[in-house]
C-alpha cells in the first residue's frame, strides 16, 4: 500500500555524521521507496548545512515558519540532497555554531535539551499539519534527539499521524533537569515515574519510549537485551513494560558504496580475490607494515562501548603469534594515547591513524584480513557488516547486532561451511586474546580461510529485508 513518513533525526549521510545513525537515516529513504513509502528527513540546519538554502534559495523554498522557537525564529527549508528529500530546520540561535552537532571541544552544548526539543517540536508540527499538501501517516523518531517528537504528538494532538521511536543507542538518553518540564512544553500532569519522570529528572528518550506507538531498535538481540539491566542502562523497565510494541529490525549497509566490486583500485569479488591481496599489499606499503599472519583492522569511535581499552593487553600476544593491527579512530583522548603508544611499541606491525577518514576506512576494509569489533554492547554495528561484504573476516564480541550478523567459526559451523567470522564472549581480554589465537590458526589454514571469506561475502547485508520490515511496521500503523 505505502504512504508517507517523516523521519526526524540529528544526523544523515551525506549531510552530517558522527556514527552509524547517520548511515541508517541516510539509507532508509532509498531503501523504502521501492516499497511505496516516501520518506522525508528533518534535520537541524547546522552551520555546515546552511549553504544549501543560502546559496540556492530557488531549490530550497521555505516551507514552514514558526516564531518563538526557544529564543528565536524557526524556518524550515525543503530541498534534495543525493536523491534524499531533506527538510532543514533553520534556527540560527540553536544550530548556527562552530563545533559538533552535540558538543564543542569535548563538552555538551548546555542548551541541548532546548535545541533538540525544537527539532522534535517542528517534527511534530510538520507531522500533524503536513507540509504544503504532503501529509505523513507516520513520524519516525531516531534516538534521544528526536525523542520528544512522539511525546509532542501524544500530548499536543497527533492530527492522525502515528509514531515510531527507534533506539540506536540507549547509552544516550537526553537527560534534562525537572525545572525544564514547562519550558520543554511537557505537561505537568505527566510528571510521574510511570510517564515522564526519570530518576528525578527528565529524559527525552524515555518520553519517546512511553509515547510512541511502536518502538524499534536496530537488531533483534539488542531488542531483547534492552529489557535487561546489564544493557538497558536504567530504561529496561520502561522498555519491558512496552514489550508488546517493541521489535528489533537489523540495519543494512549501502552495498552500492560498501562493496569490493565498487573499489576504485584493486576491486575484487568472491570469485576472484586477487584484488584483495593487492589491496593488502598496498595497505602494508602505505603503513610500512610487514606482517606474516593476519592483519586485523579497527575502524571505530574510540570509546568504552567499543572495548578499545582491551587492545593494549591483547596486542603483544597477537603480534608474537604473527599478527598485525591497523587502527583508524578518534574519540576518548586516553584511548587515542593508548593506540599511539601501541604503534610506537610495534613499528612494522601496528599502525594507528587518529582521525575520521572515510576513504582510508575503505582502503582498510579492502586490505585487512579481519575486522575487530570487541564491543561491550552493540545495538547493531555496521563495520562487521562491511567486513562481511569485503571478505574481511569479522572478529566480534557476541553482543547485540554483532551476534546477530556473524556466524562463529565453531568446528561444526566450519565443517558445515556456514562460518562467517569469529565471535567471543564475554568482552574481556582473555576471551579476546583467545579469539585472536583462533584467528591466527584459521588464517594459517588457507583452504578453510578462503572458504570462510567466501561465505562471509555471500551474506546478504543490504537493506532489502530490513526495509520490508520497516514498511510492514508502518503499514500496521495506518
Ligand atoms: P557507532 O554508530 O556506534 O559508531 P556503527 O558501527 O554503527 O557504530 O557505525 C560507525 C560508522 O562510522 C561506520 O560507518 C564506520 O565505518 C564509521 N567510522 C567510525 N569511525 C570512523 C573513522 N575514524 N573514520 C572513518 N569512519 C569511521
Ligand atoms: C548506534 C550504535 C550502532 C548502530 C548505529 C546505527 O550508533 O552504536 O551499533 O549500528 O547506531 O543504528
Amino acid at each position: 500500500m505505502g504512504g508517507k513518513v517523516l523521519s526526524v533525526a540529528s544526523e544523515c549521510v551525506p549531510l552530517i555524521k558522527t556514527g552509524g545513525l547517520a548511515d541508517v537515516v541516510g539509507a532508509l529513504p532509498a531503501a523504502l521507496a521501492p516499497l511505496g513509502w516516501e520518506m522525508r528527513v528533518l534535520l537541524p540546519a547546522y552551520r555546515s548545512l546552511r549553504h544549501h538554502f543560502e546559496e540556492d534559495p530557488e531549490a530550497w523554498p521555505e516551507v514552514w515558519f514558526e516564531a518563538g522557537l526557544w529564543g528565536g525564529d524557526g524556518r524550515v527549508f525543503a530541498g534534495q540532497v543525493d536523491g534524499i528529500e531533506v527538510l532543514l530546520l533553520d534556527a540560527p540561535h540553536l544550530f548556527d555554531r562552530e563545533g559538533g552537532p552535540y558538543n564543542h571541544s569535548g563538552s555538551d552544548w548546555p542548551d541541548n535539551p532546548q535545541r533538540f526539543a525544537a527539532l522534535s517540536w517542528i517534527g511534530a508540527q510538520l507531522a500533524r499539519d503536513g507540509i504544503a499538501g504532503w501529509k505523513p501517516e507516520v513520524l519516525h523518531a531516531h534516538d534521544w534527539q528526536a525523542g520528544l517528537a512522539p511525546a509532542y504528538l501524544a500530548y499536543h494532538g497527533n492530527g492522525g499521524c502515528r509514531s515510531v521511536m527507534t533506539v540506536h543507542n540507549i547509552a544516550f538518553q537526553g537527560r534534562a533537569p525537572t525545572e525544564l518540564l514547562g519550558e520543554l512544553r511537557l505537561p505537568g500532569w505527566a510528571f510521574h515515574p510511570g510517564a515522564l519522570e526519570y530518576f528525578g529528572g527528565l529524559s527525552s528518550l524515555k518520553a519517546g519510549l512511553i509515547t510512541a506507538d511502536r518502538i524499534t531498535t536496530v537488531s533483534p538481540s539488542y531488542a531483547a537485551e534492552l529489557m535487561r539491566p546489564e544493557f538497558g542502562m536504567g530504561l529496561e523497565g520502561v522498555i519491558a513494560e512496552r514489550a508488546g510494541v517493541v521489535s528489533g529490525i537489523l540495519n543494512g549497509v549501502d552495498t552500492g558504496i560498501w562493496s569490493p566490486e565498487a573499489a576504485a583500485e584493486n576491486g575484487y569479488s568472491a570469485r576472484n580475490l586477487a584484488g584483495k591481496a593487492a589491496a593488502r599489499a598496498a595497505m602494508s606499503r602505505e603503513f610500512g607494515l610487514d606482517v606474516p599472519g593476519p592483519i586485523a583492522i579497527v575502524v571505530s569511535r574510540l570509546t568504552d562501548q567499543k572495548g578499545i581499552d582491551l587492545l593494549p593487553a591483547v596486542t603483544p600476544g597477537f603480534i608474537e603469534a604473527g599478527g598485525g593491527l591497523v587502527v583508524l579512530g578518534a574519540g576518548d583522548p586516553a584511548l587515542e594515547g593508548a593506540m599511539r603508544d601501541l604503534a610506537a611499541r610495534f613499528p612494522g606491525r601496528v599502525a594507528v591513524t587518529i582521525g575520521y577518514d572515510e576513504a582510508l576506512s575503505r582502503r582498510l576494509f579492502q586490505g585487512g584480513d579481519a575486522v575487530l569489533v570487541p564491543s561491550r554492547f552493540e545495538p547493531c554495528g555496521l563495520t562487521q557488516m562491511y567486513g562481511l561484504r569485503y571478505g574481511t573476516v569479522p572478529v566480534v564480541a557476541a553482543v547485540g547486532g554483532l551476534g546477530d550478523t556473524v556466524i562463529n567459526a565453531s568446528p561444526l559451523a566450519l565443517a558445515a561451511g556456514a562460518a562467517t567470522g569469529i565471535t567471543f564472549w564475554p568482552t574481556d581480554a582473555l576471551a579476546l586474546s583467545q579469539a585472536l589465537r583462533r584467528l591466527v590458526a584459521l588464517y594459517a589454514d588457507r583452504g578453510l580461510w578462503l572458504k570462510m571469506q567466501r561465505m562471509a561475502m555471500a551474506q546478504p547485508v543490504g537493506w532489502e529485508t530490513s526495509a520490508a520490515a520497516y514498511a510492514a511496521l508502518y503499514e500496521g500503523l495506518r
Side-chain angles (χ1 to χ4, degrees), residues 17-19 287 298-303 308 326-333 335-337 339-340 351-362 364:
K17 166 167 169 175
T18 72
F287 293 104
V298 172
V299 176
S300 181
R301 291 187 289 120
L302 302 181
T303 68
I308 302 298
V326 181
V327 178
L328 166 63
D332 181 343
L335 294 173
E336 290 183 351
M339 294 303 102
R340 285 201 181 94
V352 170
T353 305
I354 301 298
Y356 187 93
D357 185 337
E358 194 159 315
L360 174 57
S361 80
R362 248 183 275 281
L364 302 192

Side-chain angles (χ1 to χ4, degrees), residues 11 13 17-24 168-169 172 218 251 258 298-303 305-306 327-331 353-362 365 373 375 377-386 402:
E11 302 185 20
V13 162
K17 166 167 169 175
T18 72
L21 166 68
D23 294 285
V24 173
H168 294 264
N169 196 332
F172 305 103
V218 287
N251 290 330
W258 296 99
V298 172
V299 176
S300 181
R301 291 187 289 120
L302 302 181
T303 68
Q305 171 188 345
K306 303 292 181 178
V327 178
L328 166 63
T353 305
I354 301 298
Y356 187 93
D357 185 337
E358 194 159 315
L360 174 57
S361 80
R362 248 183 275 281
F365 283 106
V373 195
S375 304
F377 67 94
E378 197 60 75
C380 180
L382 299 178
T383 59
Q384 84 282 10
M385 292 200 266
Y386 301 157
L402 298 175

